[in-house]
Amino acid sequence: MKRFFHQLRQFARSPGHRLNPRPLGWLLLLCCSVFMTGLGIPLLHGQWAEPVVAQSTNVQKQEDQVIRNFTLPKAPSDAPVYRPAPPVEDVPAPSVPEPVTSTPAPAKPEPAKAEAKPSSTPTKKTPASQYVLEFNRSPIVGNRLRLQGVYAESQLAFTRPRNWNLQSAKALIRFQHSPALLASRSNLTVRVNGTSVGSTSLNRKQSQIGQVLVDIPTSLIQDTNDIVIVAQQNTDSKCSNPADPALWTEVLPDSKLLFNYQPQAVPLDLSRFPYPFFDHLSLDANRLAYVRPTTVSESWLTAAGRFQTAMGRLADFRPLSTRFVKTVDDLQWNDRLVILGTPAEQPLLKTLKLPFTVSGNQIIDGSKNALPADVGVLMLAATPKGGNPILVVTGNGPDGVAKAAQFLVQPQNRRIGAGQAVLVDNLDDVPTPPTRQWERALPDANEFKLSALKGSDQEPLKDTTVRGASAPSVEFNFHALPDDHFTRGSAMELVYSYSPQVNPRTSAIEVLLDGVVVGGKRLTSETGASRESVNVNLPENLITPTSKLAIAFRLSAREQAQCGVVTDQQLWGTVHADETRFKLKRDQSVQLPDLKLLQVGYPFAAPQDLSGTAIVVPDSPSETELLTMLAFSERMGRLSQAESVKLGVYTTGTLPDDVRRQRHLVGIGTRDKFPFNEAFDTKQGFSLGGAFSRLWHQQTIQTLPDKGGVIKEVISPWNDKRTVLALSGQQASGLSTVKDVLNQDPWFFQVKGDTVLISANAQATSMFDSDAYQLESLQQEPQRRLAQTNLLATTSRFLQDNWFLLPAGMVTVCLLLYGIAQLYIKRLEGEKR
């Protein structure tokens, strides 16, 4: 500094550079002021302010950060780590396999017993655990996987969990085949991700069971994989008839994949959310464990319901298990712990090692000051041994908890999360989508292109080409909106191309709606065609909220097949998504109550952010009632897609009158604590009464005990355009059956009518058993039509529903016209006289 002022004085005294001393003094005073101001700001806050830097896996120590009016704590030197442990189970060792032609098989498979705990320093010589994936877990296998014909193949898909360090992989294929097969010309080949990994001859006599163990190179295993079983079968040394019923091989359901792997430690970071709390690559059901708060408040119920809805959207079709625990000691293998609520509601927070300290019932910052009550806090932690990850959704007040939970359920906010802790100060309110804007349904416009629809990957459909004489169909969802009512005149203009060398006499294109052929056309050109079109009428009674539309090319080669081998790879067909158009004739009309519409979420998922629905539980809900609330929230999440969740959850005493009148209501509770007695005070339909009584029409019975569950939908007594859904039972065991039906797809997609009576089979070994539950559907409540149509459409719909009035109406009109005509004639006669 002295050197700077000395040089400045020398510069001022030099000839030709004379400066006025007064401006120079003002300049020096200004520089000193800026310097002291920069020095005083960090001194005033007790630290130097630095920009926030994204944390890496190895977090470095850094200075405290200042956000708003509170101070962040110092970042930990090591991030919390989730160390997944392998499951403890005994796996029977397979018997001695047959030799493999491509790679020699060992005389006996490696040990098949999983260790209880992973080794602290796992080595490649001793795998930490083994996972067995049996073929019968796939719904397409059933009792066997049959391969029929000269050349047949079948494909199964599997995933690799994200935390696996795969050491080895094997496929144990058990099979039977026809005794008529020639061993020299028949074989079974195994392919993984398009690469052949093993093969064996089909040479067993008298259909004896054979097996083959093949090694799968770990380099072939990706996140998503497929294993293909190919059977080349012949009964004649020269030419086999492809229609010969003796050409068969069956892969047995106890065939399996065996994986030896080491569980990898996972550093916890919110940038990876929802992993590891939900892994879409997991081979087992993802398991969530909630800690029940000391007092169940409205804010906790709403936050928990919205979070579970978001998890249901992430899960989609994948299984998700949910339960409650009291402490971390109650956690089981693969549980992910979720602690939701304020420190006063969750005393367990005081016992955990968290980025933010919990003192008393307050979360404090780096300066030992309590965080504002309206600031949400998200934190990641792990159990003391690291076997279970912990997600903390908290704040010093209900507003803070709501913000933290809302941050996780809104994808646009969740994407920017990072680190082991996130403070949520402000959140943008995501607008509610229109009631008829459903991501997985048809567009609301009556005219649209095929490219406006989305495939299974949730991406817009593109031009699709299929090949071969047995080419698969181009299939896509054609889900009508739940309140759509179609009339005559809906049509599809299909634009397609196909290859040369097709046989015009036996080749055609077909359009199928839910497996029913609704149109087609012959492929008449031997030289192929580009962008031909065909108009197909879409029957109005076949388009439903669960419809699928398929376009099938029936391609036949001009040259005949030789010995069952068809040269058909030159045959192809293309569907042009940007040029194929739909023109629909429909109006908005629906009849309620109808539980069949609940299978697609209607009316509770309209709009898709669930802002039109409210769940109501008793003032002091039991654990079963809370789990049923979470099960319904999860189901609505699986059936909806939106950028936010605005579901409201209330207790009987906190339900506002405007919510009661304006929203669809879902009441949950046993009969003695059910929030809405009006749902069971009906004269025509089924209802539950006191003292284990059941009422139906004029009949009243008493049961002892009554362990059944009831799902019932009625028109809301507070708004005739809204509905009330009752999930109830006389006992907790009955309500538990309702929860199980909501959780399991095979049972949920059987509900229909306006009332479903559920009874459990005590002899069933598993809820997946086809006899585990019995569902009895009733349709007794009077239905009300909700429509938004013009006068002509309303009149047409009324005449369709009440067609029996049409003859009487015609006779009445004729008599009226006849009477008017007679009066007019008499008047004319009187004037002539």
Side-chain angles (χ1 to χ4, degrees):
M1 185 64 65
K2 293 180 179 180
R3 184 178 180 184
F4 170 77
F5 285 109
H6 177 72
Q7 291 179 351
L8 186 60
R9 284 194 298 268
Q10 293 294 331
F11 177 81
R13 294 174 179 175
S14 60
H17 296 89
R18 294 289 181 180
L19 297 178
N20 191 341
R22 182 171 296 179
L24 181 60
W26 284 109
L27 179 61
L28 293 176
L29 181 60
L30 179 62
C31 293
C32 293
S33 300
V34 172
F35 175 76
M36 294 304 296
T37 301
L39 181 64
I41 291 177
L43 291 177
L44 181 62
H45 291 275
Q47 63 174 6
W48 289 97
E50 295 180 358
V52 177
V53 181
Q55 300 293 328
S56 61
T57 303
N58 298 321
V59 181
Q60 303 294 329
K61 291 184 178 180
Q62 62 178 8
E63 300 292 341
D64 294 340
Q65 307 297 326
V66 176
I67 298 180
R68 200 170 156 184
N69 59 347
F70 45 87
T71 307
L72 294 179
K74 291 185 178 180
S77 57
D78 295 319
V81 176
Y82 162 49
R83 298 181 176 86
V88 180
E89 61 179 5
D90 292 332
V91 182
S95 56
V96 179
E98 297 290 331
V100 187
T101 58
S102 61
T103 56
K108 189 175 183 179
E110 292 300 317
K113 182 176 291 187
E115 297 181 5
K117 297 181 179 179
S119 173
S120 59
T121 56
T123 62
K124 294 185 178 181
K125 295 182 179 180
T126 305
S129 62
Q130 183 181 78
Y131 192 95
V132 178
L133 179 62
E134 294 192 347
F135 282 18
N136 58 12
R137 287 178 55 176
S138 173
I140 69 172
V141 174
N143 295 325
R144 83 288 187 274
L145 196 63
R146 189 173 182 87
L147 304 172
Q148 185 78 45
V150 175
Y151 179 89
E153 64 179 40
S154 188
Q155 175 179 315
L156 299 174
F158 64 95
T159 59
R160 178 192 60 189
R162 292 180 60 176
N163 63 321
W164 278 14
N165 181 14
L166 197 60
Q167 304 298 308
S168 66
K170 293 179 171 58
L172 178 63
I173 310 298
R174 289 170 49 81
F175 59 91
Q176 286 180 294
H177 63 81
S178 169
L181 298 184
L182 293 180
S184 60
R185 300 195 62 200
S186 303
N187 59 76
L188 192 72
T189 303
V190 181
R191 294 203 304 257
V192 174
N193 293 335
T195 301
S196 298
V197 294
S199 180
T200 186
S201 298
L202 299 177
N203 56 5
R204 277 67 177 175
K205 298 180 180 180
Q206 300 179 355
S207 298
Q208 294 179 347
I209 295 178
Q211 64 181 22
V212 57
L213 183 70
V214 297
D215 287 315
I216 303 174
T218 57
S219 59
L220 290 179
I221 305 298
Q222 306 168 8
D223 288 344
T224 57
N225 311 272
D226 62 79
I227 179 171
V228 180
I229 313 297
V230 182
Q232 184 77 31
Q233 304 171 119
N234 284 281
T235 55
D236 190 276
S237 58
K238 295 183 179 179
C239 185
S240 299
N241 180 9
D244 188 351
L247 297 173
W248 63 266
T249 297
E250 291 184 352
V251 178
L252 302 183
D254 57 351
S255 299
K256 62 196 69 176
L257 297 174
L258 301 99
F259 303 101
N260 289 329
Y261 70 97
Q262 297 171 350
Q264 290 182 309
V266 180
L268 296 177
D269 196 304
L270 283 167
S271 63
R272 299 188 179 96
F273 189 86
Y275 183 79
F277 299 93
F278 185 88
D279 183 5
H280 69 281
L281 299 177
S282 176
L283 293 172
D284 297 291
N286 288 273
R287 299 161 58 95
L288 290 180
Y290 286 89
V291 178
R292 185 175 177 178
T294 54
T295 57
V296 179
S297 63
E298 177 189 331
S299 60
W300 185 91
L301 288 169
T302 298
R306 292 182 178 182
F307 179 79
Q308 190 71 12
T309 300
M311 296 305 291
R313 287 179 178 172
L314 293 171
D316 200 5
F317 59 89
R318 303 172 184 88
L320 180 64
S321 174
T322 305
R323 67 189 188 100
F324 280 103
V325 296
K326 295 181 179 179
T327 65
V328 293
D329 296 331
D330 298 333
L331 295 176
Q332 300 176 0
W333 171 82
N334 211 27
D335 277 345
R336 280 80 162 173
L337 185 63
V338 178
I339 304 177
L340 194 151
T342 63
E345 296 173 331
Q346 299 288 1
L348 184 61
L349 294 177
K350 302 176 185 178
T351 65
L352 300 177
K353 183 180 178 181
L354 301 172
F356 282 88
T357 304
V358 178
S359 178
N361 289 329
Q362 297 288 318
I363 304 172
I364 60 176
D365 62 9
S367 298
K368 308 300 182 182
N369 297 320
L371 295 178
D374 62 342
V375 172
V377 183
L378 294 168
M379 293 182 284
L380 296 179
T383 52
K385 296 182 180 179
N388 303 92
I390 302 174
L391 173 64
V392 178
V393 184
T394 186
N396 283 335
D399 293 340
V401 176
K403 283 184 180 179
Q406 200 67 19
F407 179 87
L408 293 178
V409 304
Q410 296 183 172
Q412 68 177 14
N413 300 122
R414 191 172 64 228
R415 295 188 188 101
I416 64 174
Q420 290 79 54
V422 168
L423 298 178
V424 185
D425 191 2
N426 295 308
L427 279 179
D428 293 334
D429 183 33
V430 178
T432 296
T435 304
R436 290 173 56 82
Q437 180 180 318
W438 291 46
E439 291 292 328
R440 297 181 178 179
L442 298 178
D444 192 20
N446 288 333
E447 296 186 16
F448 55 90
K449 297 180 179 180
L450 179 58
S451 57
L453 304 181
K454 294 183 178 180
S456 57
D457 57 355
Q458 297 304 308
E459 295 294 332
L461 294 174
K462 301 178 180 179
D463 291 1
T464 305
T465 300
V466 294
R467 290 184 177 274
S470 301
S473 301
V474 180
E475 188 177 73
F476 50 89
N477 293 331
F478 200 71
H479 296 171
L481 289 164
D483 56 352
D484 274 343
H485 171 249
F486 289 88
T487 57
R488 292 182 180 180
S490 297
M492 168 188 183
E493 183 185 0
L494 173 62
V495 179
Y496 61 94
S497 302
Y498 59 93
S499 67
Q501 301 300 319
V502 298
N503 189 339
R505 298 182 58 187
T506 56
S507 299
I509 186 172
E510 296 176 346
V511 178
L512 301 91
L513 189 58
D514 287 336
V516 178
V517 178
V518 295
K521 184 180 179 181
R522 285 180 56 195
L523 306 181
T524 58
S525 175
E526 296 183 357
T527 58
S530 176
R531 288 174 168 75
E532 283 195 354
S533 64
V534 56
N535 290 317
V536 178
N537 179 57
L538 300 176
E540 63 277 4
N541 60 324
L542 292 182
I543 308 177
T544 67
T546 58
S547 294
K548 288 184 177 293
L549 195 66
I551 302 169
F553 286 92
R554 311 301 184 189
L555 303 176
S556 177
R558 295 178 59 185
E559 297 181 0
Q560 297 296 324
Q562 297 180 356
C563 293
V565 179
V566 181
T567 55
D568 61 353
Q569 289 306 300
Q570 79 280 6
L571 305 178
W572 55 265
T574 298
V575 176
H576 298 285
D578 289 333
E579 300 177 48
T580 298
R581 299 176 181 272
F582 295 91
K583 186 176 182 180
L584 304 181
K585 298 289 185 179
R586 56 181 173 175
D587 52 53
Q588 188 176 347
S589 177
V590 65
Q591 281 189 321
L592 294 175
D594 186 359
L595 287 177
K596 192 173 182 62
L597 293 175
L598 184 63
Q599 298 179 14
V600 294
Y602 190 83
F604 306 98
Q608 289 275 280
D609 64 354
L610 308 182
S611 58
T613 298
I615 302 177
V616 185
V617 299
D619 288 327
S620 299
S622 65
E623 184 172 308
T624 303
E625 290 162 344
L626 291 177
L627 287 174
T628 306
M629 180 271 292
L630 294 176
F632 183 82
S633 301
E634 177 189 326
R635 177 56 63 180
M636 289 299 101
R638 294 176 184 269
L639 298 175
S640 63
Q641 290 292 324
E643 290 299 315
S644 182
V645 180
K646 296 184 179 179
L647 176 69
V649 186
Y650 306 88
T651 60
T652 306
T654 61
L655 178 64
D657 289 338
D658 59 336
V659 173
R660 187 193 303 267
R661 293 191 303 268
Q662 298 175 8
R663 296 194 188 186
H664 299 284
L665 303 176
V666 181
I668 298 174
T670 54
R671 184 62 186 93
D672 58 337
K673 299 192 301 179
F674 193 75
F676 310 116
N677 290 326
E678 294 84 354
F680 293 108
D681 291 342
T682 56
K683 298 181 179 179
Q684 299 184 18
F686 175 89
S687 64
L688 293 176
F692 294 94
S693 62
R694 290 188 169 197
L695 296 83
W696 189 30
H697 295 297
Q698 303 300 322
Q699 306 176 57
T700 301
I701 63 172
Q702 284 184 305
T703 61
L704 187 67
D706 187 349
K707 297 183 178 180
V710 177
I711 301 176
K712 184 176 181 179
E713 187 178 11
V714 297
I715 297 296
S716 174
W718 303 283
N719 187 337
D720 58 4
K721 295 184 179 180
R722 298 291 182 264
T723 61
V724 175
L725 180 68
L727 308 177
S728 184
Q730 291 284 13
Q731 301 184 74
S733 58
L735 189 58
S736 182
T737 62
V738 175
K739 171 182 68 68
D740 293 339
V741 168
L742 291 173
N743 280 329
Q744 301 300 325
D745 291 351
W747 302 107
F748 176 75
F749 290 110
Q750 293 183 32
V751 299
K752 58 183 179 180
D754 60 52
T755 305
V756 176
L757 306 181
I758 308 168
S759 58
N761 180 10
Q763 305 299 324
T765 58
S766 170
M767 69 175 61
F768 297 99
D769 189 349
S770 59
D771 297 325
Y773 299 103
Q774 180 178 350
L775 275 62
E776 185 72 27
S777 299
L778 307 174
Q779 182 71 56
Q780 296 295 325
E781 294 289 335
Q783 288 187 316
R784 176 181 175 83
R785 180 171 295 281
L786 303 180
Q788 294 183 7
T789 56
N790 53 35
L791 180 61
L792 179 61
T794 302
T795 305
S796 174
R797 185 63 183 173
F798 175 80
L799 294 177
Q800 291 179 24
D801 292 341
N802 303 277
W803 59 269
F804 55 88
L805 298 177
L806 190 59
M810 294 177 63
V811 172
T812 302
V813 171
C814 290
L815 292 175
L816 181 62
L817 293 176
Y818 176 76
I820 294 173
Q822 290 296 322
L823 290 174
Y824 181 72
I825 292 173
K826 290 181 179 180
R827 182 178 179 181
L828 291 177
E829 291 178 350
E831 291 178 354
K832 290 180 179 180
R833 292 177 183 178

